[in-house]
Amino acid sequence: ALVHPDVIGEVMLGCGVEREEIVAEIRLLPSIVRPSQATLEGIVDRHAIACRRIGWVDTVLLCTALVDPRKPVVLTFDRRLMREAIRLGVAFTA
């Protein structure tokens, strides 16, 4: 399992009594490197990710999975993100 730095940021914005514990735990996972902005923008254009009704953080996750040489997959329960991950071949499917 790898964690994306933007996912840590999203979890940090959450609420709940265990938020700090959860953030501390996921920080123990190895981190994946976020591609440069120029790389991200190029992937968005090349893979027609615009107008797919997903947000920027989700888009960054997809793009990161596409370019990382370890070929990571995206694990999500979000339907729109999963649809795009499947379309791009980076979805975790059990």
Side-chain angles (χ1 to χ4, degrees):
L2 302 170
V3 66
H4 193 282
D6 289 357
V7 170
I8 294 172
E10 288 284 335
V11 173
M12 289 181 69
L13 294 175
C15 300
V17 294
E18 297 178 352
R19 182 185 70 86
E20 291 180 17
E21 294 171 34
I22 293 169
V23 170
E25 291 292 324
I26 63 174
R27 280 191 173 138
L28 297 175
L29 294 169
S31 187
I32 196 165
V33 177
R34 187 183 196 276
S36 71
Q37 185 70 21
T39 298
L40 293 169
E41 292 173 7
I43 295 168
V44 166
D45 288 340
R46 191 166 41 259
H47 291 279
I49 298 174
C51 301
R52 297 287 183 164
R53 301 188 64 173
I54 61 171
W56 181 247
V57 170
D58 290 347
T59 300
V60 170
L61 295 176
L62 292 172
C63 293
T64 302
L66 285 167
V67 299
D68 190 281
R70 295 172 285 189
K71 302 296 182 200
V73 292
V74 175
L75 171 63
T76 183
F77 296 105
D78 181 280
R79 288 186 318 220
R80 290 179 181 158
L81 177 56
M82 178 57 86
R83 180 190 69 228
E84 286 306 298
I86 291 168
R87 183 178 74 85
L88 297 170
V90 294
F92 176 83
T93 54

